Amino acid sequence: MDNSLASNNLVQADKQYIWHPFSPFSGLDDVVEITHAKGAVLHSADGKEIIDAISSWWVNLHGHANKEIADAIAKQALQLEHVIFAGFTHKPAVDLAQRLLAQLPWTAGKCFFSDNGSTAVEVALKVALQYWHNQGIEKTNIIALEGAYHGDTFGAMAVGERSPFSAPFNDKLFEVSFLRVPYCTDPLDAQELSELEIDNAVAAFERLVADGKTAAFIFEPLVQGASGMNMYPVSLLEKLMAVCKSNGIIAIADEVMTGFFRTGKLFASQHLQHAFPDILCLSKGITGGFLPLGCTLIEERITQPFRVDDLLKTFFHGHSYTANPLACAAAIASFDLLMGEACQQNIARISNAFKQFKEAFSTHKAFRNTRTLGCIWASDYQTTEETGYFHEARNMLNKYFLDKGLLIRPLGNVLYVLPPYVIADEQLKQVFEAFEGLAISDESMG
C-alpha cells in the first residue's frame, strides 16, 4: 500500500474518532502521523524528520526508543505486568522508591505512587490538608504562585492560575491565595533583582500567612513551565521556605517539569541551600518518556498524623494502576541512565550551549527576555502585544518550525527548548538557526 495513501486514511480516521488535548476542533492543520522515532528525531509517515526539541511535552530524557528502557520493560512484562498495590508489593516499586528517596536530604520519607503529574499533585494536596485534619487543627488555606500550572484535575486546577483553561469550572474550584513573584532571566544570579523586589514578595507572603490558617504552599521551583517558562530567583524561594518553616506550613514542590536535571540538578529544589520542601511531586521524565507514572515523595514527619490507631485517619486514596511494575521498571532504567557519566556529560554540554545561546540572543532584535537554567532555554518572540499562551503568533510560529523539521510548540509567543539529553550539537544548532531566521513583520504575523 502507498504510504502517503495509508497516512491520509489514518489522519481522516483520527479526525473521525480522536479528541486531542489542548486542541480545538477547527482552525488547525491536520495532525502529523508519526510512524517511528529514534534519539531526538521523530519520523513522519510522509518521510519527514522532525527534531523533538521539547521532549514530547517534556517527558523524554534519553531519546526515543531507548534500548535500555525498552529492554527493562520487556523483561518486566514477562515477570509481572501488574498487581493490585493495596496489600501487595513488588521489587520494581521498592527499588524505585529507594532510589528516589536516597537523593533527598530527609532522614526518612515515603513514596506514594500515582499515574501522572496532576494526580501526584492531588496526592500532595490531600496529604497536606489531611495532615492538619487528623490532628484537629484548623488549617485549610493554600497558597500558590500567580501564573501557576499544576495540572488539569480539579485540585490541580484549583491551585493553578485562573485562566481560560479553568474558566468553565472556576465556581467548582476551592479558594486559593496567589502570590506574585518577580521574574528574572537567571534564577541563580543573586544580583539580577533588587533586594527591594525580593523583600516585597516575601512581605506579601508573610501577610498571606499572618492569620495562621495556611496549610500548605505549593510552587513550581524556580521555573513556571506552562505559563511561559517564567523564572524567579532561588534567593526568593529560600526566603519563602524560611517563612513556611517558621509558620509550620507544608511546602510542596511541583517538580513534574523541573525534575530529573532539567534545571541542572536532579531536582530544582536542590538549588536551595538552607531549606528543602516537605513534599515533592514527580512525573513526566520519570520513566524516560516511555510510560505514565506519578510519584509523591513525602517527608517522614508528615506521615505521623496518619500513623494512629484510627481507621478513619487513613489516607484513603489510590489508583488502579498504582506502582505499575512496567512503569517502575522503566523508571529504574531511566534513573540509572540519568545518573551515568554519559548522561551527566550531555546535561553539562546542553547547559553550557544554552548559556552561549542566551548571550547570543540577548541582543537579537526579534527576541526579548531570553532566559535559561540548566537544560531549559526560553525567549519571548518580540511582538507589539503582551506575551501569553493565546498570543496570535502561536499558530504561525508552530507552522514555521514544523516546516523546518522542528517540534517546538510555542507557548503563545514564548519559544523554548527543553530537549532530550541525547540531542546532538548539530541538532541544537539547527534549532537556533531557525530561531535566528525569525523576523518581525506584518506579513509574518499574518
Side-chain angles (χ1 to χ4, degrees):
M1 180 183 290
D2 180 74
N3 284 340
S4 61
L5 179 61
S7 177
N8 184 62
N9 289 341
L10 188 140
V11 169
Q12 293 307 311
D14 178 282
K15 287 183 178 180
Q16 182 175 353
Y17 299 115
I18 303 297
W19 193 336
H20 287 272
F22 295 98
S23 303
F25 281 117
S26 61
L28 294 181
D29 293 334
D30 285 346
V31 295
V32 179
E33 180 190 352
I34 300 300
T35 58
H36 61 289
K38 188 66 179 175
V41 177
L42 307 169
H43 295 266
S44 67
D46 59 1
K48 292 181 180 177
E49 294 186 355
I50 302 171
I51 296 175
D52 187 354
I54 61 167
S55 302
S56 286
W57 253 345
W58 322 341
V59 302
N60 192 287
L61 299 185
H62 311 290
H64 295 276
N66 178 274
K67 186 177 186 304
E68 287 87 345
I69 301 177
D71 286 347
I73 294 171
K75 181 180 179 181
Q76 183 61 46
L78 295 174
Q79 296 174 342
L80 175 66
E81 84 299 340
H82 189 63
V83 65
I84 181 175
F85 208 59
F88 293 86
T89 193
H90 50 79
K91 191 173 188 297
V94 175
D95 285 354
L96 177 59
Q98 286 180 320
R99 277 173 166 80
L100 294 173
L101 290 167
Q103 300 298 319
L104 305 183
W106 305 332
T107 55
K110 291 289 186 291
C111 176
F112 195 102
F113 289 103
S114 59
D115 297 346
N116 53 58
S118 292
T119 57
V121 167
E122 296 281 348
V123 169
L125 294 172
K126 290 176 69 175
V127 165
L129 291 171
Q130 191 173 340
Y131 171 86
W132 300 109
H133 176 82
N134 280 6
Q135 299 176 78
I137 299 174
E138 188 181 348
K139 287 193 175 187
T140 58
N141 295 347
I142 294 176
I143 300 174
L145 298 181
E146 286 191 8
Y149 174 81
H150 296 287
D152 298 318
T153 51
F154 268 81
M157 275 196 299
V159 294
E161 171 115 334
R162 301 298 185 265
S163 71
F165 291 159
S166 64
F169 322 106
N170 282 348
D171 64 332
K172 306 299 182 185
L173 304 179
F174 56 78
E175 187 175 345
V176 171
S177 298
F178 289 97
L179 174 71
R180 176 177 294 182
V181 295
Y183 294 140
C184 62
T185 65
D186 181 357
L188 306 184
D189 183 357
Q191 305 302 317
E192 185 173 348
L193 296 180
S194 68
E195 289 187 16
L196 179 61
E197 290 175 288
I198 301 293
D199 291 344
N200 284 344
V202 175
F205 190 57
E206 290 174 331
R207 287 193 294 272
L208 289 175
V209 306
D211 63 2
K213 300 295 185 182
T214 301
F217 169 47
I218 184 168
F219 55 93
E220 298 159 89
L222 305 186
V223 186
Q224 294 182 287
S227 70
M229 297 297 167
N230 292 314
M231 303 181 182
Y232 62 96
V234 67
S235 58
L236 171 58
L237 187 55
E238 291 271 18
K239 293 184 177 182
L240 297 179
M241 292 290 290
V243 174
C244 287
K245 185 174 181 180
S246 63
N247 288 271
I249 297 167
I250 296 174
I252 303 171
D254 178 352
E255 295 257 12
V256 171
M257 185 274 285
T258 57
F260 305 106
F261 288 104
R262 290 304 192 186
T263 68
K265 290 186 180 290
L266 179 59
F267 303 120
S269 299
Q270 291 173 328
H271 287 286
L272 295 165
Q273 298 295 315
H274 306 293
F276 200 79
D278 304 293
I279 300 176
L280 268 69
C281 305
L282 307 176
S283 189
K284 287 198 179 291
I286 192 168
T287 67
F290 273 72
L291 291 167
L293 181 66
C295 290
T296 306
L297 305 181
I298 304 160
E299 203 272 332
E300 187 71 17
R301 74 174 182 86
I302 304 298
T303 72
Q304 296 310 309
F306 299 86
R307 296 176 177 274
V308 293
D309 192 17
D310 182 348
L311 181 62
L312 297 182
K313 293 186 177 180
T314 301
F315 185 57
F316 289 112
H317 186 102
H319 300 261
S320 298
Y321 281 90
T322 292
N324 175 256
L326 301 178
C328 290
I332 291 168
S334 176
F335 187 85
D336 290 347
L337 287 169
L338 191 66
M339 304 304 285
E341 182 178 355
C343 187
Q344 291 298 306
Q345 290 177 348
N346 280 334
I347 290 167
R349 172 178 59 85
I350 295 168
S351 179
N352 289 333
F354 280 1
K355 290 175 184 177
Q356 295 174 17
F357 285 123
K358 177 189 176 184
E359 184 176 349
F361 277 79
S362 62
T363 57
H364 198 294
K365 67 178 182 179
F367 295 89
R368 65 168 182 253
N369 193 29
T370 301
R371 50 206 181 271
T372 190
L373 178 64
C375 295
I376 303 170
W377 186 97
S379 190
D380 302 341
Y381 179 56
Q382 181 74 43
T383 69
T384 57
E385 301 173 41
E386 281 191 29
T387 294
Y389 184 88
F390 296 100
H391 195 286
E392 64 178 8
R394 183 170 180 263
N395 290 340
M396 177 277 291
L397 292 169
N398 194 48
K399 185 178 186 305
Y400 169 84
F401 289 114
L402 278 177
D403 287 345
K404 292 187 173 296
L406 303 172
L407 172 54
I408 298 293
R409 193 176 171 84
L411 297 164
N413 66 318
V414 175
L415 302 177
Y416 72 94
V417 188
L418 201 156
Y421 299 140
V422 297
I423 193 169
D425 288 338
E426 188 60 35
Q427 292 169 325
L428 280 177
K429 182 180 178 183
Q430 186 175 336
V431 170
F432 284 97
E433 284 178 346
F435 285 1
E436 289 178 347
L438 283 170
I440 303 173
S441 70
D442 291 339
E443 181 180 353
S444 68
M445 290 298 298

